[in-house]
């Protein structure tokens, strides 16, 4: 049948739907069929309401019949991380404390996707409340990496990354607090973009660490991420960090020969997996060969970023997650007194969430506030200043997204600190609030994807995405969806 | 960190911990804080001016009606007459 292949560029889908070559109904049915055939092995989705998807598609087809063919994402299937509210679908954040909760409104980014003609396909799995780097802390299911089902997809937006990589959807939204879009994108071999802090509304994103949380797209093609950004970005009176349109003017396409590419010494380290260093070296050589100037950069505070990041996010999380007490959202455990209801309901949190609430409550408590929280706040400002100085000397920074490729399921679950260290190359830029893109640039000997990270000054998102697109068109990396291993016994 | 300290923090955060959780979390949080002690190496002066994050101006504080506030209350498990129900506190 003539339905779209999953790695079809978004523009091709919208053109075919607009012209009537494909109906939205057909696109939706193909997408649902792909999900049905892969989900027993992948487990990327927590909720898909097939009837709702078909109704959305029929509504789009009716619009087209009336001649209303506008929409940058007309007929494009989009999966949504399950910490973003979608009206009348469950929003669980991968947590038993929100099991069955159905928010009565759409997140602002979801409203904008719908207005652009997108089909909202379903909700993807994640680490509980987006706290993790492997999607293993989800209370409901374990998502696999489509490149090797025994390995993690990364996290916390692991369901979104796996769904795109396996070709179930061409676009997914994730959220990135310290790398939760970019790291799973790198592990699954797709593009992941963390927009400049304040450029995309978080209204309807369940808050984890508000001074860092950002919503961003995961796609096969960098050009598609740029297109999705154009749909979801922009001022929203419902998010006080997003009251102006920061990305008002898209950068003109990057001219690589004019660019100064910074190479931060603290990211080009010998303890990074050899194949990642080699692949990154290849990208660096491509850029230099095209005329870009390579600039050595020093970011000495990189080594302090993990401690800074975790003290701040756990502090913010301990406050943000206080609202989950059984009264307003999700199931309630009975108790004779209010405090009993709170404690019994909050026993539904998983281990990682409890650990982070404890750590954050400690860092904010009397006697420790100055030594931990305040110190981390000051370190964060120094890290921001360090990046600002780097961007006086370089237009973009090129780094690995992760120090290793995807690890085995269960490999790091016993040692939370080891999982925290997965964020070493993504947390610093999150603390600085800058633009960041991960783009697949190769595979290791085991066939696992390798991601390169492009960091740009605030508001320079389109510059980073344009160079990601340039890199993607020149490296040897297949743009076909991953073919999943057969089920054992079949 | 000592188990008593963790128990006191858990009480502040409305978390009930089993003995097994208490012992496990104590060891883990101790390890995490020990690793984070490297922040003490940093000699940070007075906070430098906010760096590269563009500051978003605040909008005017205008009241905007929510489409249907009752729907928010009705999404909760226990509610009556447009209010959240809770156990008697007085």
């Amino acid at each position: 049948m003539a339905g779209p292949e999953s790695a079809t560029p978004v523009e091709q889908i919208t053109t075919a739907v607009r012209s009537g070559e494909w109906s939205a109904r057909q696109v939706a049915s193909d997408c649902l069929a792909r999900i049905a055939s892969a989900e027993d092995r992948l487990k990327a989705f927590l909720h898909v309401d097939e009837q709702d998807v078909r109704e959305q598609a029929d509504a789009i087809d009716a619009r087209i019949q009336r001649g209303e063919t506008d929409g940058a994402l007309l007929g494009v299937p989009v999966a949504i991380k399950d910490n973003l509210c979608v009206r009348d679908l469950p929003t669980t954040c991968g947590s038993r404390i929100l099991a069955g909760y159905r928010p009565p409104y759409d997140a602002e980014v979801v409203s904008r996707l719908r207005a652009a003609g997108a089909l909202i396909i379903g909700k993807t799995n994640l680490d509980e409340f987006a706290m993790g780097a492997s999607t293993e802390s989800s209370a409901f299911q374990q998502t696999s990496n489509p490149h090797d089902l025994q390995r993690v997809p990364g996290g916390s937006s692991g369901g979104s990354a796996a769904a795109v990589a396996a070709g179930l959807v061409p676009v997914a939204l994730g959220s990135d607090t310290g790398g939760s879009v970019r790291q799973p994108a790198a592990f699954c071999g797709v593009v992941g973009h963390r927009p400049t802090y304040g450029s995309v509304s978080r209204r309807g994103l369940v808050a984890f660490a508000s001074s860092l949380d950002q919503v961003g797209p995961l796609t096969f093609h960098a050009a598609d991420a740029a297109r999705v950004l154009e749909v979801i970005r922009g001022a929203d009176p419902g998010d006080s960090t997003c009251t102006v349109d920061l990305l008002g003017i898209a950068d003109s396409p990057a001219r690589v020969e004019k660019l100064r590419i910074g190479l931060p010494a603290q990211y080009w380290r010998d303890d990074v997996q050899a194949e990642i260093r080699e692949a990154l070296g290849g990208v660096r050589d491509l850029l230099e060969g095209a005329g870009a100037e390579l600039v050595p950069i020093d970011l000495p505070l990189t080594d302090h970023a993990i401690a800074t990041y975790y003290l701040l996010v756990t502090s913010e999380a301990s406050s943000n997650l206080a609202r989950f007490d059984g009264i307003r959202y999700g199931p309630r455990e009975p108790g004779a007194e209010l405090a009993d209801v709170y404690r019994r309901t909050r026993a539904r949190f998983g281990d990682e969430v409890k650990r982070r609430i404890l750590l954050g409550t400690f860092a904010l408590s009397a006697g420790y506030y100055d030594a931990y929280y305040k110190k981390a706040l000051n370190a964060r400002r120094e890290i921001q200043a360090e990046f600002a100085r780097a961007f006086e000397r370089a237009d973009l920074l090129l780094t690995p997204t992760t120090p290793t490729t995807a690890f085995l399921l269960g490999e790091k679950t016993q040692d939370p600190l080891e999982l925290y260290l997965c964020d070493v190359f993504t947390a610093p830029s999150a603390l600085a609030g800058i633009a960041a893109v991960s783009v697949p640039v190769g595979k290791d000997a085991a066939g696992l994807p390798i991601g390169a990270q492009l960091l740009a000054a605030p508001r320079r998102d389109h510059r980073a995405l344009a160079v990601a697109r340039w890199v993607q068109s020149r490296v040897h990396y297949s743009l076909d969806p991953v073919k999943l291993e057969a089920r054992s016994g079949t | 960190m000592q188990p008593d300290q963790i128990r006191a923090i858990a009480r502040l955060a409305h978390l009930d911990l089993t003995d097994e959780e208490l012992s496990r979390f104590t060891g883990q949080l101790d390890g995490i804080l020990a690793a984070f002690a490297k922040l003490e190496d940093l000699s940070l002066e007075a906070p430098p001016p906010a760096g590269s994050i563009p500051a978003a101006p605040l909008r005017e504080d205008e009241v905007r009606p929510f489409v249907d506030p009752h729907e928010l209350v009705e999404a909760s498990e226990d509610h009556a007459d447009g209010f959240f129900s809770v156990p008697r506190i007085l």
Side-chain angles (χ1 to χ4, degrees), chain B residues 2 9 34 41 43 72 79 84:
Chain B
Q2 300 301 313
I9 290 161
D41 310 343
S43 55
L72 290 173
H79 54 88
F84 299 110

Side-chain angles (χ1 to χ4, degrees), chain A residues 348-372:
Chain A
R348 300 173 76 94
F349 283 134
D351 276 4
E352 183 56 26
V353 175
K354 285 180 184 168
R355 257 192 304 272
R356 293 199 191 192
I357 290 174
L358 290 169
L359 187 56
T361 307
F362 173 73
L364 291 176
S365 62
Y368 298 97
Y369 175 88
D370 283 349
Y372 291 103

Side-chain angles (χ1 to χ4, degrees), chain B residues 11-40:
Chain B
R11 202 173 305 122
L12 286 175
H14 291 300
L15 289 176
D16 263 345
L17 300 182
T18 63
D19 290 344
E20 185 276 325
E21 283 177 324
L22 184 69
S23 133
R24 189 156 41 91
F25 289 158
T26 303
Q28 288 172 338
L29 293 175
D30 218 30
I32 291 166
L33 283 175
F36 290 178
K38 73 184 309 171
L39 270 190
E40 289 166 17

